[in-house]
Amino acid sequence: MPPGREEASERVLQILSEAARLFAANGYERTSMRDIAAACGISKALLYHHFVDKDAIHNRITLGFTRELYGFVAEQIPAEGSASCRVRAFMTASATFFERYRQVWMTSTAAFWSDPKARGQEERIAWRTRYEMLLRGLLAEGKASGELRDVDVANAGRLILSALNWMHRWYQPGHGQTAVEIAETYHDMIFGGLLAGQAAPKLSQSPAKRASGRP
Amino acid sequence: MPPGREEASERVLQILSEAARLFAANGYERTSMRDIAAACGISKALLYHHFVDKDAIHNRITLGFTRELYGFVAEQIPAEGSASCRVRAFMTASATFFERYRQVWMTSTAAFWSDPKARGQEERIAWRTRYEMLLRGLLAEGKASGELRDVDVANAGRLILSALNWMHRWYQPGHGQTAVEIAETYHDMIFGGLLAGQAAPKLSQSPAKRASGRP
C-alpha cells in the first residue's frame, strides 16, 4: 500500500464521492453537511467524525484526489516489462480511477483550474507533477532502450494525458466502451500509429495488472 | 470565404477577445460595457454599434466561436492529398485558431461546459458536431483508401480532439513551441506511432496551407 492510501477508507471515498456529486448538482453553498450525511446514509455525527466541516471535505476533494490518483496508478505499474506495456498499465489504471471516482474527478478538476490560488493547490500540483513524471519516466526508459522512437517525452506524455483527461468531457458510463477499454484503444493507436503498413504494437507481454472491482 | 465569416470583422474579433479576457479576469458581472470599450480603445457608441448589450457579447463568445472555428478550419483543408496530410491541416488550423483567439476559446469552452442549458447551446453543439464530423470524414477516407489502419474512426477523432482541446490547459504562448508546432508533433506521434521500427509517417506531400498571420 503506497503512502497516504491508508486514510482513504471506503467510507471516506464514499463521503467524498457523494459530496462531490452534491456540489456539482446543487453548488457548494447550497449543499449542507446534513445533505451529505443523508446521501451517504450515515449520521451527521459519523460524518463529523471523518471531517470537521464542509470546507474540509471540499479541500480533500480538490487536493487529496491528486494524491490518491498518483498512489493508485503507481501501484498498478508492473516492475518489469516493456515501456509499451507499462504505459498501458498507467493508462488503464488512470481510466479505472477515473471511472470509479468520476464525480470526484470532475468536481476536483473544475475546482483545480477555476481557483489556482486556493489553499492546497501547491501540494496538489506537486502530486499532479509526480503523476506526470511517472509517465514521462516510463516513456524515457522506452526511448533509452530503443523500444520507442526518438520522440519528445514531454509532448508524448502530454498527448497521453490529454486523451485521459479529456475523456470525462464526453464519456458516459454504461454507454458503449468502458473507460478502461477506451484507454486501451488510445494506447494502441498512440503506440502503433494510425498509418497502415506499420508493425503491429507489441502487446503480447503480460497485461497490466488490472485494478479489481471492475468487470 | 465560408458562410458566416463575413460578420467576423477584425473589430468584432477584437471586441470578443477583449471582452473574453475581462470576463475571465474579473468575472462577467464586474465587467461593464465601458470596460470593454476602454480595453478596445474605442468609444462606447462604437461598441454599441456592434453589440446591443453585454449579454450579446457573451452569447457571441459562447456560441459564435464554434461556428468560427468550423469555418476557419474547414477552409484550411486541401481538397486533394493524403488523409495524413489533410488531418494535419485540420490540426494545425485548429491550433492556429486556438493560438489567435486563446482567451475567447478558454472563456467559451468554460461557459460551454458549465452551462449546458444556456441559450444557443444547441446551435453551438451543432457546429461543434460539424467540426468533429469533418475530422472523422477525413479519417474515414484514409481508412477506406487503405492509408490508415483499421482503427475506430470515432475513437481516433476523439484522441486527436483531446490533444487539441487539452492544449489550452498547459500551453503558454511565447514559451517554447507554438501551438501549431505542438499540433504537428502530435500529428506525427499519432500517425507514426511511438514504437520504433515503424515506417516514418509520410509527410512529404504538400504541407497544409497555413493560416496567414503567424510566423
Side-chain angles (χ1 to χ4, degrees), chain A residues 108-116 121 124 128, chain B residues 166 168-170:
Chain A
S108 171
T109 302
F112 181 54
W113 293 106
S114 66
D115 188 4
Q121 290 301 68
R124 183 177 166 132
R128 178 82 205 177
Chain B
W166 196 254
H168 74 85
R169 284 290 166 82
W170 58 269

Side-chain angles (χ1 to χ4, degrees), chain A residues 168-195:
Chain A
H168 74 86
R169 283 290 165 81
W170 58 269
Y171 169 68
Q172 292 192 304
H175 292 78
Q177 296 170 293
T178 65
V180 169
E181 286 165 351
I182 294 162
E184 288 172 341
T185 304
Y186 281 162
H187 173 274
D188 294 353
M189 290 193 287
I190 293 170
F191 278 73
L194 296 186
L195 290 176

Side-chain angles (χ1 to χ4, degrees), chain A residues 40-67:
Chain A
C40 297
I42 61 176
S43 66
K44 272 180 74 178
L46 182 55
L47 178 58
Y48 278 105
H49 168 74
H50 288 292
F51 291 99
V52 293
D53 56 19
K54 199 171 66 167
D55 197 40
I57 297 177
H58 192 262
N59 284 343
R60 184 68 178 265
I61 289 171
T62 56
L63 163 64
F65 266 67
T66 313
R67 189 181 71 187

Side-chain angles (χ1 to χ4, degrees), chain A residues 113 146-149 155-156 158 162 165-166 169-170 177 185-186 188-196 198-199 201, chain B residues 113 146-149 155 158 162 165-166 169-170 177 185-186 188-196 198-199 201:
Chain A
W113 293 106
E147 179 190 344
L148 303 187
R149 288 201 291 141
N155 276 334
R158 288 194 190 107
S162 298
N165 289 333
W166 197 255
R169 283 290 165 81
W170 58 269
Q177 296 170 293
T185 304
Y186 281 162
D188 294 353
M189 290 193 287
I190 293 170
F191 278 73
L194 296 186
L195 290 176
Q198 305 190 109
Chain B
W113 293 106
E147 179 191 344
L148 304 186
R149 287 202 290 142
N155 277 333
R158 286 192 190 109
S162 299
N165 288 333
W166 196 254
R169 284 290 166 82
W170 58 269
Q177 297 169 294
T185 305
Y186 281 162
D188 294 352
M189 290 193 288
I190 293 170
F191 278 73
L194 296 186
L195 290 176
Q198 307 192 106

Side-chain angles (χ1 to χ4, degrees), chain A residues 20-94:
Chain A
R21 189 177 60 75
L22 291 168
F23 293 160
N26 308 323
Y28 178 78
E29 291 304 330
R30 283 190 298 278
T31 301
S32 67
M33 286 293 268
R34 182 185 302 274
D35 297 333
I36 297 167
C40 297
I42 61 176
S43 66
K44 272 180 74 178
L46 182 55
L47 178 58
Y48 278 105
H49 168 74
H50 288 292
F51 291 99
V52 293
D53 56 19
K54 199 171 66 167
D55 197 40
I57 297 177
H58 192 262
N59 284 343
R60 184 68 178 265
I61 289 171
T62 56
L63 163 64
F65 266 67
T66 313
R67 189 181 71 187
E68 284 301 307
L69 170 67
Y70 173 79
F72 185 87
V73 171
E75 76 172 359
Q76 305 290 324
I77 296 174
E80 305 287 330
S82 66
S84 167
C85 187
R86 298 176 81 208
V87 171
R88 194 183 177 90
F90 179 99
M91 293 176 73
T92 55
S94 297

